[in-house]
Amino acid sequence: MSDQLERLNRLPLRDNLRGLTPYGAPQIDVPIQLNVNENTHGVPADVQAAITQAVAEAAVGLNRYPDREFTELREALAEYLGHGLTADNIWAANGSNEVLQQILQAFGGPGRTALGFPPTYSMYPLLASGTDTEYLRGVRAGDYGLSAESAAAQVRELQPNIVFLCSPNNPTGTGLGLDVVEAVYEAGEDSQTVVIVDEAYHEFAHDGTPSALTLLPGRERLIVSRTMSKAFALAGARLGYMAAAPEVTDAIRLVRLPYHLSAITQATALAALRHREALMADVEDIKVQRDRIVDGLTRLGLKPAASDSNYVFFGGLENPHEIWRGLLDAGVLIRDVGIPGHLRVTAGTEAETTAFLEALESLLSRQAALPA
């Protein structure tokens, strides 16, 4: 046991936090970083200028607390989402992780449970532990799919207080049909289960892919979470948000910290929303590179999953960590998600995608040339 861990264990830490490790992907300074699903295109120059001006204007009033209700931002987010939503349906926080944490603070807690379907976003069990909510691990099919029948049966059996449905799913990138969301919601009627559909990557979905936002009317226990980290290239700004019935946003107000969204964050998000056309153009280019990765991996004899996100999950590797290490040595950082035979890569710029595919092809060729 390390000295640091020994010192930690001497503290009166909550029992359900003992033995856990913090969330975190490697932050390694290499030329091509394709491991945490960032928007590698960056913020366009005109949007940078708009954000800089908005932040400068906000800085004049930094001696005062910001609008606690961030009303203008909620109105702008409702307008962006559409579907007849208003500011009353919207809540936001410092990244979608904080939104999820606040939902767990309001509807989870001691004696309550949250159900996820691994492999899925690895923050779900950590957020549950942080709020003293028991995390239940559901099951998926062998191809990591999740059917409406299977998901609903597990909800009826386990009767969780909260269900996480990640769509597109992280790390697999596959979207869920709305039939799954509807079935899970109906199955949770008796247990009054709150259903969270995590749509952090929805803007990257193939054209015509419906959002769970269409299911919100009449479903007061349904929450759809989004983020500006990915499509809006604002991972460093930390702005996540959700859409739900107004009574749900009222419940979140009971647990949110006062003035939790800074004036700088609000100004940055508003400026980006006003200039979203340029940002969405980059999203379309990322989708092209994602599909190019799928085609390239297939050509190399690997097995990429169908992706509605800005990353590709792929299998068919005998030693994925060896490939991960080889790519890193070549200056390309992708993600080892700990699933046997698989890795995950973010869709970057055209040049980054080319570098990844060429480095991977070189590694696979060298492996094939080795004697058995």
Side-chain angles (χ1 to χ4, degrees):
M1 181 183 297
S2 70
D3 183 59
Q4 184 176 358
L5 181 57
E6 186 176 351
R7 292 198 306 272
L8 174 63
N9 284 333
R10 287 202 299 265
L11 292 175
L13 195 65
R14 290 200 333 243
D15 288 342
N16 70 316
L17 296 181
R18 292 190 181 278
L20 296 183
T21 56
Y23 174 87
Q27 290 186 305
I28 303 172
D29 186 15
V30 295
I32 299 174
Q33 299 177 25
L34 303 175
N35 67 321
V36 289
N37 306 334
E38 295 160 324
N39 185 327
T40 68
H41 287 58
V43 180
D46 57 338
V47 185
Q48 290 182 38
I51 290 173
T52 300
Q53 180 180 346
V55 169
E57 292 171 359
V60 175
L62 286 182
N63 59 309
R64 302 293 185 183
Y65 287 116
D67 175 13
R68 184 174 57 235
E69 288 293 307
F70 48 97
T71 305
E72 186 179 3
L73 177 55
R74 287 190 294 116
E75 290 172 346
L77 287 168
E79 187 273 330
Y80 166 66
L81 291 178
H83 298 284
L85 297 169
T86 70
D88 290 339
N89 298 108
I90 305 299
W91 188 254
N94 295 284
S96 58
N97 285 327
E98 186 176 62
V99 171
L100 298 176
Q101 181 183 60
Q102 290 174 339
I103 295 169
L104 283 162
Q105 287 174 313
F107 300 106
R112 297 193 171 197
T113 59
L115 172 64
F117 297 93
T120 190
Y121 185 34
S122 58
M123 273 301 298
Y124 296 154
L126 293 178
L127 290 166
S129 292
T131 56
D132 210 5
T133 306
E134 182 184 358
Y135 186 70
L136 306 175
R137 289 171 170 79
V139 296
R140 291 177 177 265
D143 62 356
Y144 305 120
L146 184 64
S147 70
E149 294 77 16
S150 173
Q154 293 178 69
V155 170
R156 283 192 293 269
E157 176 187 355
L158 298 171
Q159 297 190 326
N161 300 99
I162 298 168
V163 172
F164 292 107
L165 295 175
C166 192
S167 182
N169 187 44
N170 185 357
T172 61
T174 49
L176 283 179
L178 294 188
D179 61 323
V180 179
V181 180
E182 292 176 296
V184 165
Y185 189 89
E186 292 171 8
E189 185 68 37
D190 290 343
S191 52
Q192 287 293 284
T193 300
V194 172
V195 179
I196 305 168
V197 183
D198 183 350
E199 291 189 343
Y201 299 92
H202 180 78
E203 284 91 345
F204 301 100
H206 287 86
D207 292 344
T209 301
S211 165
L213 293 170
T214 61
L215 301 179
L216 284 174
R219 293 181 174 89
E220 72 280 355
R221 292 179 287 106
L222 180 63
I223 302 171
V224 180
S225 69
R226 294 279 188 97
T227 182
M228 294 185 75
S229 293
K230 313 300 181 181
F232 284 83
L234 291 181
R238 312 310 302 130
L239 196 290
Y241 58 102
M242 70 176 206
E247 54 266 37
V248 173
T249 62
D250 284 341
I252 302 303
R253 285 181 175 88
L254 300 176
V255 299
R256 64 105 167 94
L257 296 174
Y259 315 108
H260 70 290
L261 275 185
S262 77
I264 300 300
T265 299
Q266 293 182 43
T268 299
L270 280 165
L273 284 163
R274 293 185 186 117
H275 294 80
R276 61 179 178 261
E277 292 81 7
L279 293 160
M280 292 304 113
D282 283 344
V283 166
E284 291 307 308
D285 185 62
I286 291 167
K287 290 163 68 174
V288 169
Q289 299 309 315
R290 173 203 60 205
D291 294 342
R292 183 180 163 215
I293 290 171
V294 170
D295 291 342
L297 293 173
T298 302
R299 177 178 56 81
L300 292 174
L302 299 175
K303 300 175 181 178
S307 177
D308 274 305
S309 56
N310 71 334
Y311 53 88
V312 179
F313 175 75
F314 61 100
L317 299 166
E318 291 185 9
N319 191 332
H321 189 74
E322 183 179 309
I323 293 293
W324 178 88
R325 183 75 245 183
L327 287 169
L328 181 61
D329 291 342
V332 181
L333 177 62
I334 68 170
R335 188 69 174 266
D336 185 346
V337 293
I339 297 175
H342 289 77
L343 293 170
R344 189 192 72 193
V345 60
T346 305
T349 63
E350 182 178 2
E352 290 170 332
T353 298
T354 297
F356 160 70
L357 289 172
E358 289 180 351
L360 179 61
E361 184 171 14
S362 177
L363 284 169
L364 293 174
S365 296
R366 289 205 300 268
Q367 280 191 348
L370 292 175

